[in-house]
Structure formats: C-alpha cells, structure tokens
Amino acid sequence: MADYIFVLDNHLDASQSKVVAEISRIATEGAQSVWLTGGAMREMLRGAPIRDLDFTVEHDAPKVGKALAHAMHGEVLSEDSLKRSVELLLPGGVRASVANARTEKYSKPGGKPQIAPATIHEDLSRRDFTINAIALSLNRGSRGLLVDPTNGQADLVNKELRATNSYSFFDDPSRLFRLFRFQHTLGLEPVSRTLSQLENSLMEQYEAAASPSALAPELRALSLHSAAAAALEGLDRSGLLKLAAPGWTGEKLNVAGLARFDKAIQAVVPAPKDGWLAFLSVILEKLGTRDRAEALRSLALSAEELTGLKKLDAAAIKLEKDIRSPKIHKPSQVWEVLEKASENEILTVLYSSDQRVVQDRIRAFYAKYLPLAQEVTEEQVVATGAKLGTPKFAKAMRDTIIKHLNARPKKPVEPEVPVVPLPPPPPVRGRRG
C-alpha cells in the first residue's frame, strides 16, 4: 500500500508543511475531520509541484479556517457564507481554501444551488472532474487514507479527462472553460462520454448561464503555460471566448503573437512567476477599442490590475530604453536596471523588442547576474559592520552585491605536471657480418 503521507511530504515546501501540520492539530483538537482535496491532490499524484492547498472539513470549515489564519498570523481573504468556505493567505505566500463538505442541487444551469452538509464521499462525487475528486485524510485515526470514489487515479494514469457525473456542466457551466485548460495543460484527453456532455451543453447554450468573469481564472492559470495557445484555440472553436467579447475570435485571438510570447519566455526566463498582465496584453492586442473594453469588463480585473495593464506599454518602452543604454558597461548596471522592474514589464520587453542587446542583457540577468546576486548572504553583510534590519544594512547589502557582480572571475590555476625522466634507451646490438 502506498504511503501517501510520505508522498505528500515530498511535494510540500517548508511553509506548506507547517500549514498542513497546523490544520491537522486544529481539527483534531476541535473534533473535526479534515481532508486535503482538489488540485493539491491532483498535483501530488501527478508528481507536480503543489501551488495551493485545498482543505475540506466535514463540520465547520469557517471556524477551522479562521483558527488556522489566527494561529499562523495569516489573513482571511474572503468568506463564502453560502458554501461555508474561506480563502486564506498564510506565511510564506501559501494560499489555502478551507470549505465544508457539501452536496449542491441546481434547478437550472448555473443557478443558485441548494446546499446541504455531506460526507467527504458525497462531496467528492459532486465535483467537476474525477481528477479533482480525490481526498487524503489528515485525521489522527485515518491519517494517510486515500478516498477516490470516482477512480480519478486511474484517469490520471491513463491521461483521461472525465466528468464526475452527468450533471457536471449543467450544475456549473464555468466547468466548460476548465475542460479546455485541463485538456491542454495536463495533456489529458476527454473521454467520449464527456465530449458528448460538452457538445450537448453547447447545444443547449449552458455557457450563457456562466458569468463571463468565470473565464478570468482559467486564463490566469494559462498565462505562463506553453499550451496556452492551443487551449485558447479550443475555447475559440467552441465559441466560449465570445462570452467575454463578441469580436474575440479567429485572428483577433492573436495566436501567432502568443506563440512568440511563449518562445521568448522559454528561451530567456527560466521560471516566471507573474506574467498575467503581459499575457493579457498579448491576447488582447488585436482587439479593437470597443471589444478590448468589453473583454476587460467581462474579465472583471481589479482596479490595481487595470491600472497596471494601462501603464504596461509605457513602462516597457522605458525599461527597454534603460536596458539598451550605451552607459551600461558593467554587470551590476544590468542587474540594477532589471532587479527593480516587474516581471510583467520584462516579459513585455522580451515580446516587443527586436534589439539584440536587449535580449542578450535580459538573458544574462537571469542566467548569470541574478544567481550571482543571490550568492551574497546576510552573514557576509553583517560582517562588514552593518546591523540587520537597518537602512545601513540595506545599502551595505546592495553595495556587496554590486561588488560581487563586477569582480573579475579568477582564472583557475592549473596544477603543475611533474616531469618524469624517460628511461635510457636499450643498447643497440651490432649486426652479424
């Protein structure tokens, strides 16, 4: 039998491990059952990094979630009183959701559901796809027990995408968007029955009942993935992108630009973390003013994101000018320019600039200068006499990094090879006459 707790521990970073341990303690002390579910389980079983933690509680999820935020000095980002769930931001940048196990019954596509408390088995069976309907017990008596009522593990192994039940798209039409993301980013092939459900849902126009803003999280999840263009083309062929803007089809989708954007990222930036606005700028590039405004309204961006997107082009133009400045002669100068730029700005410059010097300097920043800067430790700076946490320390850290970047690498000294004298040649014997 597989040791799933061991597998989980090997997929969590230090901050995530603390969260899992703490919610297990809180649930045990409160006599409540807690399970790790959803995307975290899917990624663990795929052998992929776990991004967010999804917990399901069989009794009082908001109470457990708020206790977790309080114990770890985290923040409650939002609370859904209907579904009895909370979204949290915890130390180390860990995002977590804590939700009640529940059943949901819908009288019409995308309508307001009737919700009732449920067991973990019932909760899993009402989810979207089998690959997301797997749970791992974090409870003392059953810790490590895997619950998989729809056989999602087999679908992961067989690379198949299967809806959990016949009403999956009726209950929540936004799952139509998710199908295309999972198909292309996870490399899963929808089974024939799920494809028939998709076709029937589109024929009945279930997507009209979905909020256009439901497309935004799917696009955000696609933003730094190499399969983004293929997923968007699938959404376009199904007519789902029209929900955001009627004119957002065909050439207006800018698939060619998106391919160039992805190529630039893959070639230069090793592991981008935040390129949502740069990605959005590319996929909206071909839209006219009216369609672009409608798409942005539909995607329901925050005021901060709208401001950032509006200023992105101008910021990228300035950044490109700074990068190719003839005044730059040292590695530290390249580092100083790019270190303070946002990743969205850098990705936009990579996409839009055809200057070889710009491309080369950004590549050098990620390949050489950034790793070198990260070699400088706090201990080294403290040794210079600067006190940790003071403005003087911050300046000393920067000065130490600059010095480290500009230092000429020492040439390796080749060891001397000892000269071994050759043995004398053997005496030459005379020929017989």
Side-chain angles (χ1 to χ4, degrees), residues 129 159-163 179-180 182-184 187-196 198:
F129 300 101
K159 299 285 186 181
E160 293 179 340
L161 187 59
R162 188 188 314 271
L179 180 146
F180 288 96
F182 287 149
Q183 177 185 3
H184 294 284
L188 305 178
E189 193 60 37
V191 297
S192 57
R193 184 172 180 179
T194 299
L195 283 176
S196 295
L198 169 66

Side-chain angles (χ1 to χ4, degrees), residues 264-319:
I265 294 176
Q266 301 298 326
V268 179
V269 187
K273 295 180 177 62
D274 179 21
W276 164 234
L277 295 183
F279 172 83
L280 197 56
S281 177
V282 173
I283 62 175
L284 298 177
E285 184 179 8
K286 299 293 184 182
L287 289 183
T289 304
R290 184 175 177 180
D291 281 333
R292 181 183 174 91
E294 188 165 352
L296 290 174
R297 250 192 326 271
S298 298
L299 294 175
L301 271 65
S302 67
E304 184 182 357
E305 288 174 326
L306 284 170
T307 301
L309 185 63
K310 186 177 180 181
K311 295 180 177 180
L312 184 58
D313 285 344
I317 290 170
K318 182 182 182 303
L319 178 60

Side-chain angles (χ1 to χ4, degrees), residues 224-244:
L224 294 174
H225 202 285
S226 58
L232 286 172
E233 286 181 306
L235 287 165
D236 179 33
R237 284 192 298 271
S238 299
L240 294 174
L241 285 179
K242 290 180 181 179
L243 287 174

Side-chain angles (χ1 to χ4, degrees), residues 164-432:
T164 55
N165 59 75
S166 301
Y167 298 96
S168 187
F169 300 132
F170 177 92
D171 292 346
D172 184 356
S174 69
R175 292 169 174 173
L176 296 167
F177 307 141
R178 207 169 305 147
L179 180 146
F180 288 96
R181 173 164 68 89
F182 287 149
Q183 177 185 3
H184 294 284
T185 60
L186 302 182
L188 305 178
E189 193 60 37
V191 297
S192 57
R193 184 172 180 179
T194 299
L195 283 176
S196 295
Q197 289 175 252
L198 169 66
E199 291 167 4
N200 292 336
S201 300
L202 295 174
M203 193 179 301
E204 296 292 329
Q205 298 184 333
Y206 287 172
E207 72 275 11
S211 168
S213 62
L215 182 59
E218 304 307 322
L219 293 179
R220 191 185 295 271
L222 285 170
S223 61
L224 294 174
H225 202 285
S226 58
L232 286 172
E233 286 181 306
L235 287 165
D236 179 33
R237 284 192 298 271
S238 299
L240 294 174
L241 285 179
K242 290 180 181 179
L243 287 174
W248 200 8
T249 59
E251 291 182 1
K252 298 288 183 68
L253 190 55
N254 197 23
V255 170
L258 190 55
R260 192 168 82 250
F261 178 74
D262 178 63
K263 185 177 179 181
I265 294 176
Q266 301 298 326
V268 179
V269 187
K273 295 180 177 62
D274 179 21
W276 164 234
L277 295 183
F279 172 83
L280 197 56
S281 177
V282 173
I283 62 175
L284 298 177
E285 184 179 8
K286 299 293 184 182
L287 289 183
T289 304
R290 184 175 177 180
D291 281 333
R292 181 183 174 91
E294 188 165 352
L296 290 174
R297 250 192 326 271
S298 298
L299 294 175
L301 271 65
S302 67
E304 184 182 357
E305 288 174 326
L306 284 170
T307 301
L309 185 63
K310 186 177 180 181
K311 295 180 177 180
L312 184 58
D313 285 344
I317 290 170
K318 182 182 182 303
L319 178 60
E320 182 193 18
K321 183 179 178 182
D322 291 343
I323 295 171
R324 61 183 171 85
S325 169
K327 295 180 181 179
I328 290 182
H329 303 292
K330 299 177 181 178
S332 65
Q333 293 171 314
V334 176
W335 176 80
E336 286 184 289
V337 168
L338 289 167
E339 173 265 339
K340 59 188 178 185
S342 75
E343 206 153 44
N344 279 300
E345 292 168 359
I346 295 173
L347 295 178
T348 301
V349 170
L350 279 173
Y351 171 71
S352 59
S353 177
D354 58 358
Q355 297 287 320
R356 178 66 180 270
V357 66
V358 171
Q359 302 278 335
D360 287 348
R361 283 176 174 172
I362 294 177
R363 183 178 287 105
F365 170 75
Y366 281 104
K368 293 190 286 187
Y369 308 150
L370 192 58
L372 279 172
Q374 291 167 346
E375 289 178 2
V376 177
T377 64
E378 290 181 344
E379 289 75 13
Q380 287 176 269
V381 181
V382 168
T384 66
K387 189 176 179 181
L388 192 65
T390 63
K392 183 180 177 183
F393 180 87
K395 183 180 183 304
M397 171 66 83
R398 197 169 191 85
D399 291 343
T400 306
I401 289 173
I402 289 172
K403 185 178 179 181
H404 186 56
L405 287 170
N406 294 335
R408 291 180 178 274
K410 295 180 181 179
K411 293 182 179 180
V413 178
E414 296 184 4
E416 293 184 6
V417 180
V419 179
V420 180
L422 296 174
V428 180
R429 295 180 180 179
R431 292 182 183 178
R432 290 185 180 180

